Amino acid sequence: MPFRIGYRQPAAGGQGFSRTKKVMGAANIPLAVADLNQTTNQVALFRVPAGFIVTNVFASASDMDSGVAALTFNIGDAGDPDRLMAASAVGQAGTSSTTLAATGLYYEYTADTDILLACQAAAATAVAGTITLYLEGFMK
Amino acid sequence: MAVRVAYRQPQTGGQGFSRTKKVFGGRVSLALTDVNQTANGVSVCRVPAGFTLTGLYAVAASILGAAMTINLGDTGSATRLLSASTFGQSTTATTALAATGSYYTYPVDTEIILQPQAAGTAAGDVTIYLEGFMA
């Protein structure tokens, strides 16, 4: 079978930092009551660099709603507030999730970008807590 | 209990490039002649010797053909990574790596070749990423 070279040189090699996977994010980022009891506030959790392509997510939160457990989070950026997670319930009872939204899978950030968290549904009774959010990916 | 050491030294450490995960591939343009005949292949990227595959992501930027199916592999096995995948029939991504490709280690630098299994009808771009680590 003949084949045509469809890619451009240089191709990424096995050594060096090119195309090495990285994990952005942080553990136990504090969230205040004012971040949880309304849907209009956003919290920048961390910043990803231009060229970062997302492949996986991990989110784990403390229980930040002592009421009827209404709290859900959107996680994304200024261009799409739920690009990475939509209406995640990790903050309702202190659980974790690795479910990356389809819109975030292999999404390439073309500029340095703040990763934003906002309530999709506010907490019934907000309790300050923490969220751990890691984004796994690679540099284009 | 006696313990026999079955692994070889040196063990992979926490630092350095050994066993670091990497992602190869990217977006490539397919010409009409790459799509509308099954005898042609396109090399979408080249992986280095020792690369051990753990995952795949493939998506078409536009529909390449309503009945098109795509094989992805190499000169040793044309369907090692994808066999008759329908990802070119829509713009929906697939991550369904073939069982023959899961944790396959490439023994030499190898071209990754995309080939129509059933021909398509339109040129377009595809994005192919291969995730894995250096053995």
Side-chain angles (χ1 to χ4, degrees), chain B residues 47-127:
Chain B
V47 296
F51 181 63
T52 303
L53 196 61
T54 61
L56 170 147
Y57 173 85
V59 69
S62 58
I63 295 173
L64 303 175
M68 187 185 191
T69 57
I70 294 171
N71 291 339
L72 188 70
D74 49 70
T75 55
S77 170
T79 59
R80 193 186 307 280
L81 310 180
L82 288 173
S83 179
S85 172
T86 58
F87 81 85
Q89 296 177 12
S90 69
T91 55
T92 302
T94 182
T95 57
L97 175 64
T100 46
S102 185
Y103 283 82
Y104 177 79
T105 299
Y106 282 97
V108 296
D109 290 5
T110 302
E111 304 283 350
I112 303 300
I113 300 170
L114 178 151
Q115 185 180 19
Q117 196 263 357
T121 55
D125 290 0
V126 295
T127 299

Side-chain angles (χ1 to χ4, degrees), chain B residues 1-70:
Chain B
M1 176 182 65
V3 177
R4 181 180 67 83
V5 176
Y7 57 79
R8 295 176 301 170
Q9 289 292 352
Q11 287 290 283
T12 303
Q15 305 297 320
F17 293 118
S18 177
R19 295 300 177 97
T20 297
K21 290 198 85 173
K22 283 180 170 281
V23 179
F24 295 106
R27 182 167 175 147
V28 297
S29 296
L30 301 183
L32 182 59
T33 53
D34 299 327
V35 171
N36 68 0
Q37 46 196 302
T38 58
N40 286 349
V42 178
S43 180
V44 295
C45 65
R46 186 176 177 87
V47 296
F51 181 63
T52 303
L53 196 61
T54 61
L56 170 147
Y57 173 85
V59 69
S62 58
I63 295 173
L64 303 175
M68 187 185 191
T69 57
I70 294 171

Side-chain angles (χ1 to χ4, degrees), chain A residues 21-39:
Chain A
K21 291 199 82 175
K22 285 179 169 284
V23 179
M24 308 290 178
N28 300 319
I29 302 166
L31 296 179
V33 168
D35 301 327
L36 304 168
N37 64 4
Q38 50 196 303
T39 59

Side-chain angles (χ1 to χ4, degrees), chain A residues 14-25:
Chain A
Q15 304 298 317
F17 291 117
S18 176
R19 295 301 183 92
T20 296
K21 291 199 82 175
K22 285 179 169 284
V23 179
M24 308 290 178

